[in-house]
Structure formats: C-alpha cells, structure tokens
Amino acid sequence: MVPGEENQLVPKEIENAAEEPRVLCIIQDTTNSKTVNERITLNLPASTPVRKLFEDVASKVGYINGTFDLVWGNGISTADMAPLDHTSEKSLLDANFEPGKKNFLHLTDKDGEQPQILLEDSNTVDDSVHDRFIGPLPREGSVGSTSDYVSQNYSYSSILNKSETGYVGLVNQAMTCYLNSLLQTLFMTPEFRNALYKWEFEESEEDPVTSIPYQLQRLFVLLQTSKKRAIETTDVTRSFGWDSSEAWQQHDVQELCRVMFDALEQKWKQTEQADLINELYQGKLKDYVRCLECGYEGWRIDTYLDIPLVIRPYGSSQAFASVEEALHAFIQPEILDGPNQYFCERCKKKCDARKGLRFLHFPYLLTLQLKRFDFDYTTMHRIKLNDRMSFPEELDMSTFIDVEDEKSPQTESCTDSGAENEGSCHSDQMSNDFSNDDGVDEGICLENNTGTEKIAKPGLEKITQEDIKKTHGGSSGNRGYYSSAFASSTNAYMLIYRLKDPTRNAKFLEVDEYPEHIRNLVERERELEEQEKRQREIERNTCKIKLFCLHPVKQIMMENKLEVHKDKTLKEAVEMAYKLMDLEEVIPLDCCRLVKYDEFHDYLERSYEGEEDTPMGLLLGGVKSTYMFDLLLEIRKPDQVFQSYKPGEVMVKVHVVDLKAESVALPVTVRAYLSQTVTEFKQLISKATHLPAETMRIVLERCYNDLRLLSVPSKTLKAEGFFRSNKVFVESSETLDYQMAFTDSHLWKLLDRHANTIRLFVLLPEQSPGSYSKRTGYQKAGGDSSNVDDDCERVKGPAGSLKSVEAILEESTEKLKSLSLQQQQDGDNGDSSKSTETSDFENIESPLNERDSSTSVDNRELDQHIQTSDPEHFQSEERSDSDVNNDRSTSSVDSDILSSSHSSDTLCNADSAQIPLANGLDSHSITSSRRTKANEGKKETWDTAEEDSGTDSEYDESGKSRGEMQYMYFKAEPYAADEGSGEGHKWLMVHVDKRITLAAFKQHLEPFVGVLSSHFKVFRVYASNQEFESVRLNETLSSFSDDTKITIRLGRALKKGEYRVKVYQLLVNEQEPCKFLLDAVFAKGMTVRQSKEELIPQLREHCGLELSIDRFRLRKKTWKNPGTVFLDYHIYEEDINISSNWEVFLEVLDGVEKMKSMSQLAVLSRRWRPSEMKLDPFQEVVLESNNVDELREKLSEISGIPLEDIEFAKGRGTFPCDISVLDIHQDLDWNPKVSALNVWPLYICDDGAVIFYRDKTEEVMELTDEQRNELMKKESSRLQKTGHRVTYSPRKEKALKIYLDGAPNKDLTQD
C-alpha cells in the first residue's frame, strides 16, 4: 500500500516507504520546439527497471513506447552518448542513475524520426466517458492523445500529490516560517493533536472563519489526510485576525507560541480542553533568597511554560557549549553583597544572601527557548548569535530537580522522543525583527530517524544527522565578536522535549479512532480537495485568449477573455464567444465567426474556413499562458458573405478622398500581398471602390502624419513599406491637382488637415453680459428652434434671417466699442492711461472677402462694466478660479507647420458651399477613422512650461495679432448639454486643427463667449474632473486629444510677464498650519511691497482679513514648509524666481517686521518641557548670523533658561516637524557638537527651520502605566490628525497579536 493513501500516518509504513532510495528523473522533450522548454518529472524507486522508466515517460507525454530515445542530459553532448535501452531490465541504480540527485534526460527522435503520438485507441472511448469526466480525458490506460496540441508540461501529480513519505508540508505565505515551524511541531505532538481532535466545533455558536481551534483542527486534518504536497496556512492566520500585511512581518516563534496558547485557552473555556495547555506545558520553579548569616530562606513558587536559556553570558566572548551548560547557568545562584545586600526578616538587617532558582516540577512537554538574540551596545541594534550550542536527543533533567523540596518521579530523564517509531520533533526557528534586505527567513522541522523531513518549501526533503548537527549553530571561518545576524537561518531557536514515560506517551489516533465530527470533517475536506483537483485539471486544459468584437449597433470595439476547453470545437467556441459578447438580441449566430486577429496592428491574420469541427487546442497551438495573437468575433450582415483571410496577406484600409467635397470616406478593407506591385494594387483597389485605376493616386500613411505618395508603378508593396495592417488614401479625379507636386497639391492639404484635426467640447460660461443668446442671436422666437449651418456657422435669428459669423463679430465688436466709449465719457480719464490694441480676432475669410476693422477697447473699463453689470456672477467666477492650478504646455509651434501655405484652410470658403467634417461625415467623429493605437493608448499629460516666463502675449512686437499670421481649420457648432451641466450653460463641439495656437483658438471663441479673448480664461478638464488653466498663448493645442473638455470662465486672462499665484496663510501654531486664501496675479518687475498692496483689498473682500501692509509678510512655500522671508524691496524675477503654478505663504505678524536683511536668519523655536511632558507654542527667533552661540543666547533670552543649560535639536520631517512627547526626549539628536548652523548635521541655511530646545537640568516626568497608555492614545490621535507618525525610530518592533473575534480593533497606541 502506498503510504498516505488510506491510513495516512501509520508509522511502520512510513518507515518502510522511506527505506528504499529514490531516483529523481527530469526529462526534457527536445523533439518539438513547443515542448523544448518544458520538463517531465518522475520520482521512482531505485529498483525500477529502465523498461518501466520508458513506459512511464511514454504515458506522461502521450507517445508510443519504442518510438523515442532517452539520452543523458547532465551537461554531456547527446551526440557522444548512446541512448538508453528501452527494453533493458536493469534497475535505475545499475544503469548509473544517482539516488538523491537530479538525473537529467533528453527525449530525442529515434532513428531520425519524430515520436509517434498515441492515437490507436482514441476512437474507442464512448460518449459515456465524456459524461463521467469533467475536463480532459486521462492519458493513462487505453485513452490516448488525439493531436499534438496536448500540453506536455509538469505533471500535476508531481505538484499536487503527497510526498511518498506520507508527510505534507506547509506553504510559507511570505515570512511565516516561524508559524509553520510551530504548527508542524504541534502537529507532531500526539497529545496535543489528539486533544484538538476531541474538541468539537459548534457552528451555531461561532463563525468557523474566526474560530482558531477549528481552523487548527482543519489544518491538522489536512496535514494528516491530504494528498497534496503542501497546505496553505491562510485560513489559520485569518482566524487570528491577521491581514495579508502580517505575512510580511517577522515574529518570534516563542512569542507566537505564548500568544496562541493564550488564545486557545480563551476559546476552550468550559470545555474538556480548558486546562490542556497547563497539563502539557506548565512546570513549576522556586524563586528563593537565602540569608548567608542565619540561613533564613524566603521563596515563592512560580509557574512557567518555557525556560529561556542564554547563549552567551553578558560581557563574555564565549558561548555555552551545550544546553546542559545553559541549564546549569540558569539555576546558578548569585551572591547579593555590598550595595545589593538582602534585608533579612530574621536578622532585621541587610545581610549577604544567595539568590537563585530551583526546578520543582518539569512539564510533560518541556520547552526550551534559546535566546539567540542579543543587543549590541556598539551599534545599538539587536543581533543574532550564531554560536554553537549542542543539544542531545535525550536530555537527562534529574540533575536539575530540587529533590529536597519535592521528591518527584519526574527526576527521571526527560527526553524529546515521541511515541514509539514515531520520531521526535523539535522546531528550529530564526526570527529577526531587525534584519536587513539580505535577511533569510526559513522554517525547519527536524526528525531524528530515517523518515525525517525538512519543511522549507511546498515540497519535502529528507535530512540527515548532519543536517541536525547544523542546527547546533557555529560556523567556519573568522567572524567578529558578534557574528552576522544573517549568517545562518538553521540555528536551533526553540526545543521541545517530551517526558519519557511509556504509561503517558500517547500514539496518534488511527483513522478508525477518529471522533464522528472529525470523520465528517475529513470527508468534507476530501470532497473539497477533489473538487479543487478537478477544477485545476479543467484550468490546465483551458485555453484563455483575448476576444474582440466590433459591436454592430454601438460601433465600439468590445474586449473580453474567451476561456474554452482545448477539446471544444471551433463551432462551439463561436457560440461561446457569441454569448460572451451578449449578441443574442442583436444579430443571428450564423452571421458570426472567429478569426485570428492581431489587436496591436489591427490586423486580421487568417480565417478558419472548413475547420468548424477542429478542436480549439489544435487551432490555437495548445494551452499556453499567453498567446502572441488574439481572436476577433467577426460579424457580417445577413446579405453579405464572409471574406477569406489567408496567412501571408496584408490588410489595407482604403479611404476614398473627394477633393470637390473635401471629404474623406470611411475605410473599405482590402487584402493584398507584399509581392504585388503598385499597379496591381491599384487594380485591386479599383475593383473594391469602383474608381478608375488610370488616374488613381494612392497615399500611404506609414505612421502618424507621415504621408507617402505611391508614384513608382513597378515598386512592390513591401518596398513601399507596407506591413501587416496599413492605411491608404485614394483619389481618382481628373483635376489639375493631379499634375502638381504632392506637397503642394490640394490632396496633401486635405489629408494634412484631416490628420491634424481634433474634436473638443467647450463649456461656455453661464448667461451673463454678452450672453450666448444675445451675442449670437440664438434666441428662440415664435417657437422656432435655433440651429447652426454647417459651413460658415451662420445662424437663424429671431426673425428667421441668416446671420454670418462676420455679422456676429461686427455686432459684438460694436457693442464692446460703444461700452468702452460710454465709460470714457462718464468716467475719470486721469486715473489711468488708455492703450489702443489691435483686434483680438483672427482674420476670417467671409463670403464677400471682407474683414472686420480693429477696435479700441479699454480692458479695465470693460472689467468695470462686467462687474457693475452683474457683480454677483463675476465674483463667483473669480472665486472658482481658486480651485484650479495653472496649465503649462510642453507643446511648441513648428515654423513649417505654421507657414502661410495653410491660408486656404479657413473657416468658410468663398462660395458658401457646405463643408463636411474632415472625414466627410457630418455627424460622425472626425477622428474615429484616423485615431491610431498610439493615440488611443496615450495617457493625458498635463501641460508643463518650458520656461518660467509667465504667459505669452497675443501680439508680436509690431502689435499685429499673431492670429493673422496663419490660418488653421476651425469649426464650431452647438452641442446638446450633458445632464447635470445646469441651466444657462451652453456647449460647443469644436473641430480644430491642433496646430493652432491657444491665442488664435481664443480669438475664434470670442463671438461665442461675447467678450474679448483677454477677458476670459481657458481651463482644460482632465479625467479626474480637475481643471487647470491653459495660459501659454503662443503654444499649440498639440497636447490636447480628441474629446477633451474645455471650460471657459470670465475673468481677466494673464498678460505677458504675469503669473497666477496661490496664496496660503501660514498658521504655525494651528493644527492645520497651511490654509488656502486666494489666487492672485504677480507680474515680472513688481516688488514684494507692490504685490502686498494689491493683496490687501482682495484679502478684505474675499477672506475678511483687515491687514495693514507692515503687519504681514510673504515667504517662500515648499509644499507645507515655510521658507525664505521675502523683503519688501525684493523684485520678482530679479531677486525672487517665480513661475507658473507658484505658491506663496502669507504670514500675519504679531508686531513690527524684524527681518530687514537677507543676511538674517529666521528660525521657528519650540520649547520641550520634559517635567510636564508637553511642548510650548512656536516662537520665531531672528538671528543675525548662523552662529550656534547666538542661537543659544536667543533661546535663553526668550525662555529664561540659563545659557549653560540650553540644549537644542533640529526637527525632523516636514513642517511642523511633529513628534510624540513620548519619543522627543530620546529620539532627537540633542545638543549637536557644532559651532555653525549651516554644517552637518544641522544644515540650516534658510528661514523656516524648526528648532526644539530644553533645559538639560529638567527631569522627565515619571509616568504610571495608566498615564503612559492614556498619553500614548492622545499623542497617536493628535499625530494621526496632522498626518505625522507617532515615532521616528528607524524600525520598531510590531507586537504580535491574535484577535479572538477574528478582526483587530482599532488601537490608537499602534503606529
């Protein structure tokens, strides 16, 4: 009987199974390129004949025995080695196979012919077999492989089946080796396991997920009965209340043992197992003190669950050689003399005394903790001691018992041996909470007989007595006094010995001795395991591949994952894909088929005509983790016929261009061969598009905006640069454009515009002065609805008359002009000078070739008019600007692109004919047919400034509008408002050439907004609905992508040299020291005082702050850290570097500004009072130099502490450098030995540094445990609110906790 099949843990059988050595054979199939990287693993007894090896290999790989050879592959050339004889009766041992080592073999062709696949019995399997089995049919027996698509990777039996020894391993979650060692130790303790089995779980009283005893019970049952090689421990740790992060936290196995035993005792209250832990593991010892003068002895009895043994005595360089020596040292008394004398109750005075420990009672299971961790006072870190300490298999404890105090039968030798023939078990664990990255984390379970196993991986390996000796510690070579904490992970850490008493030593329960509830549990787990195994088999034989489908109604490309068994036919797979894409109500099934598809190149590789009954495994090339291609569910109309796609063809999407209508049609797909010439290709396209081939021009778009005219008739498509998937534009008119150079032709310009046009959605401001209805005449009258003509944005007015864009512009300009003139007449002209600007409008060609004249508008007066007309609306728009940042564009304008050659791409043409969208579709997105994969996959990027020069003027030095220098395509039309956009909002759908500048784009929007471009701002809306202002007027819209949303807000736009600045208030003694106030505009050349003057009315109006100019300062802001104090005479861009998206602190002063010079240094000081355990508020200290002595003097002056008693330390982290009052006294680097502040370790070179100081004579308050816990909770709560950590220790141990309710409560004392 195979060990572990029926009676899982019968010791005799385990021993017999382990007696014969075994041979591990790893076979690589080199006969097929698909299988060359896969291995077959066999673990056979050494007496197995070579003939049987061939039979097993043939069964595993599905080949006919005798049609292949096996040759040695241990680094020896196969040409020099004779193949093994497949008929040989020699044993593997006699055939030079090495037991205990990996024997590599190559499966090769026999006599130059490939192995024959087992096919002869494939037709003998009746249908009932398929009904009985889920997943693939087994290879063993008479059922063979049907094709070469069978996956020939590792046999799952070698991974899932139990080790031949009958033992099962535990999977290490991450760093849970300490847990695995303890669990294996407890499992191999008969008394503990049997008692656990006798406990019965009541599901009605407790959730099984959070029941620790039940999950341990399940784990032990699986360790005993499972056929797997290793079991997961996640259910056990989940019952502890741990999450996945605990798996990455190292802990002490002894600490875990104590905490878990405590949890079990809590769970076992009022049950038969209530006192189990004490019965098995608890011992007694006497802690005594004996007076050396009168002999009086005082003592108390203590209990213990383990005995801690020191590896190396304190201050010694020599470790104890054995456990026995350490035990003697443990009970060795010490003399209390001198200042440590003991007060004797009998002598009534202090006397010399002897203090020590005596063992009174040893437990049935004795636990020894080897204290391999020590503290290195040189490095101030804990280290692991790897010194050698031997331990025997049987430990005689009679010499350690106090026979005078208790005559006990337990003075007999106490050993670590288990039940007869069962073997002993003790765990060895290294747990280092202070390890670096190269720390090793590994758990081991040791046995002392031939059936021992090492549990370090999901598999099991036999160990020898030499392996056991390695756990004694010690190492070769020279190491320092403290050996490396990571030098060894196999040193014994915790030993468990069992009392050698035949009357008490129990045996493991046999299967027929299981309680009824355990039998039921075994059955349930077996069913679950079988179900899991079947599911794994199904997964192993399931092809998983990406599936795409262009929805016939929605016209969007859908993506999903098709999971199909390799034995399913293509016809069945099509039906599965049809249902997966939810097309039942859309199109008939017979209008769908699966084709091989390359999604990256959008290329249809081939179709599968006549292969409807072929298994998917064969079509896809086997079951693989990933495929280099995808599948497309192709759909046809009922009156269409599927096209045949052959391997080797290339796919070409053909767009027909109509020069007269200036349209680009949707693509027509044709397939061609790379060997075809351009002339043959024209004939092919002519058949598909019905265009004459004689006058046909073909333009290939090789990559984005790279247009190539195919002008050489004899050139092949391959030579022209065709690939798998291609895009061409064809035109076949008989115009003179055919004779022009391609880059000067109308065709090139049309394609160029088509490739560079993007669609934007623009949200206009709410109804306001210059509202949408007023400025465009879009008002409804008499029930008539407004609409927009597609060619020149002409609109139907209230009377139904047509208004051109020129009329709209002229009307808007005249209104603005009249407003300006009215303000000039009524206002005081002496306050400010008037400036005349040219028109902000880009010249737009009208049907009559007329242009609007420039007008003079005063910006400030227009601002005033807007505020007086609707101040409430205007203020709300301005306030909304404070929620957004400045947009900075990385785009640049290509001088070639912006040349005057584009002047023909105007908004309207001369004959007022309708201009279709760039792709020739009035209602379809102009980008749907030309959006490339690179653009689709490209993430949105925020605009960034190339230089910190603020915004750029819309006008050049001559005052001429930059919009007049180039003509870019622009077209706008109303768009249905989205739900929730609110009444009064209007949307525009704009098609625009992305090479247009932001300045020109704003000029195009002027008639729709109703004000000049200098009086509204453009905000780009990103995916997260965040809005960022675009301010780089001379940069293009190249960074904008299709369907980008834009919000227009009223308000003065930035001029050249201006910057929008966010102003925050600095509140050094508030819980949140950084408070946003408003957005302001600073200009190049402005002084700090001037900016403060402009801020005062804004602060009064928007923030309610009444400030005088000398009672607040501006200072640098770096995230939350206050920096350099800006003095009033500093000039922006000269003394202070300023940029877009700049932030600045405003700090209200308590008195007169003390900072007068840049040579001064302003630091923020805070006093720490250890006797009160509190920190005082911040106080600013202004220093004239960076001298430490001056800092001490200033601190002494403001605090009253004597100069010689001042100690200070620099704060850590970001402002306000919060730190727990429990840690500040020892964690900071107090009183650094430096004379200047700008040197290491202080490095205080700028204003705003935080300095803590204290009186060194002040003692720290002594706290009770209750006070400390309460203070810890308060500090943790305070620091969590401010976003700071409780401590700045480099690494702090995390306490190991087990939560009885299965979930941790929020503990404020934890980091």
Side-chain angles (χ1 to χ4, degrees), residues 117-128:
I117 300 173
L118 197 61
L119 294 173
E120 58 272 21
D121 295 327
S122 59
N123 297 324
T124 64
V125 182
D126 58 32
D127 295 337
S128 62

Side-chain angles (χ1 to χ4, degrees), residues 226-329:
S226 176
K227 296 180 181 179
K228 294 183 179 180
R229 298 185 70 84
I231 301 296
E232 295 279 355
T233 58
T234 50
D235 288 339
V236 174
T237 55
R238 191 178 295 113
S239 70
F240 291 170
W242 294 359
D243 56 23
S244 58
S245 64
E246 286 286 349
W248 296 94
Q249 181 71 33
Q250 294 176 344
H251 287 298
D252 182 357
V253 68
Q254 186 266 348
E255 181 186 12
L256 172 67
C257 185
R258 296 288 76 79
V259 174
M260 190 169 73
F261 280 178
D262 289 343
L264 288 173
E265 286 183 321
Q266 291 292 327
K267 291 286 186 177
W268 279 337
K269 283 183 177 179
Q270 299 178 353
T271 66
E272 184 182 342
Q273 292 76 21
D275 203 37
L276 176 67
I277 302 300
N278 291 336
E279 290 176 357
L280 295 180
Y281 295 94
Q282 182 175 281
K284 292 182 181 180
L285 56 77
K286 176 194 286 187
D287 187 352
Y288 69 91
V289 180
R290 173 174 292 180
C291 177
L292 296 182
E293 293 188 15
C294 67
Y296 173 79
E297 182 176 289
W299 53 270
R300 72 170 186 268
I301 304 297
D302 290 330
T303 59
Y304 63 89
L305 293 178
D306 55 58
I307 302 174
L309 299 180
V310 175
I311 298 291
R312 185 190 297 161
Y314 176 75
S316 173
S317 60
Q318 188 67 34
F320 293 120
S322 65
V323 166
E324 292 89 341
E325 283 189 24
L327 281 169
H328 280 293

Side-chain angles (χ1 to χ4, degrees), residues 19-289:
E19 285 177 359
E20 182 179 358
R22 304 185 71 84
V23 174
L24 180 64
C25 303
I26 300 176
I27 300 98
Q28 179 184 11
D29 187 354
T30 62
T31 62
N32 192 319
S33 61
K34 297 178 182 178
T35 61
V36 69
N37 292 324
E38 298 173 348
R39 306 286 189 273
I40 297 98
T41 304
L42 296 173
N43 195 1
L44 304 173
S47 60
T48 304
V50 175
R51 172 186 54 79
K52 185 65 169 61
L53 170 65
F54 274 79
E55 292 174 0
D56 290 348
V57 172
S59 175
K60 290 287 184 185
V61 300
Y63 294 156
I64 297 176
N65 192 12
T67 64
F68 60 90
D69 283 334
L70 293 178
V71 298
W72 288 103
N74 292 7
I76 306 172
S77 173
T78 57
D80 302 331
M81 292 294 295
L84 299 175
D85 183 5
H86 72 280
T87 62
S88 174
E89 292 295 331
K90 278 186 178 181
S91 68
L92 297 180
L93 197 61
D94 295 333
N96 298 324
F97 284 78
E98 297 183 63
K101 295 185 177 181
K102 297 178 181 179
N103 297 271
F104 292 90
L105 297 170
H106 286 167
L107 190 154
T108 63
D109 298 336
K110 188 175 181 66
D111 300 328
E113 295 183 2
Q114 284 196 336
Q116 297 179 23
I117 300 173
L118 197 61
L119 294 173
E120 58 272 21
D121 295 327
S122 59
N123 297 324
T124 64
V125 182
D126 58 32
D127 295 337
S128 62
V129 174
H130 292 278
D131 295 336
R132 290 196 303 269
F133 289 97
I134 298 176
L137 297 176
R139 283 188 167 185
E140 289 77 3
S142 61
V143 180
S145 172
T146 58
S147 63
D148 62 352
Y149 64 85
V150 177
S151 178
Q152 298 175 354
N153 54 1
Y154 281 98
S155 168
Y156 261 69
S157 61
S158 65
I159 298 174
L160 300 179
N161 288 356
K162 180 184 288 190
S163 166
E164 288 78 3
T165 62
Y167 288 105
V168 177
L170 292 175
V171 177
N172 192 337
Q173 294 183 39
M175 295 182 178
T176 57
C177 49
Y178 65 96
L179 170 68
N180 292 4
S181 295
L182 180 61
L183 292 176
Q184 289 280 13
T185 301
L186 297 178
F187 173 74
M188 294 301 294
T189 304
E191 293 77 11
F192 185 88
R193 191 205 302 183
N194 295 347
L196 184 63
Y197 281 175
K198 291 177 182 178
W199 175 80
E200 184 173 359
F201 172 68
E202 296 292 342
E203 191 167 353
S204 60
E205 298 178 1
E206 189 178 6
D207 185 357
V209 175
T210 60
S211 176
I212 298 172
Y214 176 69
Q215 292 302 334
L216 281 176
Q217 198 177 73
R218 282 188 63 240
L219 182 72
F220 283 13
V221 165
L222 290 173
L223 286 173
Q224 188 168 348
T225 64
S226 176
K227 296 180 181 179
K228 294 183 179 180
R229 298 185 70 84
I231 301 296
E232 295 279 355
T233 58
T234 50
D235 288 339
V236 174
T237 55
R238 191 178 295 113
S239 70
F240 291 170
W242 294 359
D243 56 23
S244 58
S245 64
E246 286 286 349
W248 296 94
Q249 181 71 33
Q250 294 176 344
H251 287 298
D252 182 357
V253 68
Q254 186 266 348
E255 181 186 12
L256 172 67
C257 185
R258 296 288 76 79
V259 174
M260 190 169 73
F261 280 178
D262 289 343
L264 288 173
E265 286 183 321
Q266 291 292 327
K267 291 286 186 177
W268 279 337
K269 283 183 177 179
Q270 299 178 353
T271 66
E272 184 182 342
Q273 292 76 21
D275 203 37
L276 176 67
I277 302 300
N278 291 336
E279 290 176 357
L280 295 180
Y281 295 94
Q282 182 175 281
K284 292 182 181 180
L285 56 77
K286 176 194 286 187
D287 187 352
Y288 69 91
V289 180

Side-chain angles (χ1 to χ4, degrees), residues 1096-1141:
I1096 289 175
Q1098 299 180 50
L1099 293 169
R1100 183 186 308 114
E1101 179 181 355
H1102 298 293
C1103 307
L1105 292 177
E1106 285 285 351
L1107 299 174
S1108 63
I1109 196 168
D1110 294 324
R1111 287 305 175 95
F1112 74 96
R1113 66 162 64 134
L1114 299 180
R1115 65 189 304 167
K1116 183 178 179 181
K1117 178 179 181 292
T1118 306
W1119 194 35
K1120 292 186 178 181
N1121 297 309
T1124 307
V1125 174
F1126 299 144
L1127 305 181
D1128 284 353
Y1129 57 82
H1130 284 162
I1131 300 175
Y1132 296 116
E1133 287 280 30
E1134 293 184 12
D1135 303 310
I1136 302 171
N1137 292 327
I1138 188 171
S1139 62
S1140 297
N1141 204 28

Side-chain angles (χ1 to χ4, degrees), residues 326-394:
L327 281 169
H328 280 293
F330 182 78
I331 61 175
Q332 180 69 32
E334 61 174 320
I335 302 299
L336 302 179
D337 56 5
N340 297 325
Q341 278 188 326
Y342 166 70
F343 184 83
C344 179
E345 294 290 340
R346 181 179 297 175
C347 300
K348 302 298 181 183
K349 64 174 183 176
K350 286 188 175 183
C351 305
D352 291 348
R354 180 184 293 111
K355 184 180 186 304
L357 299 172
R358 297 195 189 101
F359 290 113
L360 301 179
H361 169 75
F362 288 114
Y364 179 73
L365 294 170
L366 176 64
T367 304
L368 303 178
Q369 180 200 5
L370 307 186
K371 300 178 70 174
R372 288 200 171 271
F373 288 106
D374 201 355
F375 192 82
D376 187 348
Y377 288 93
T378 304
T379 62
M380 301 303 289
H381 287 289
R382 286 181 68 189
I383 59 171
K384 184 188 175 188
L385 303 176
N386 291 309
D387 300 79
R388 176 178 176 80
M389 176 182 277
S390 63
F391 51 86
E393 294 185 7
E394 292 190 2

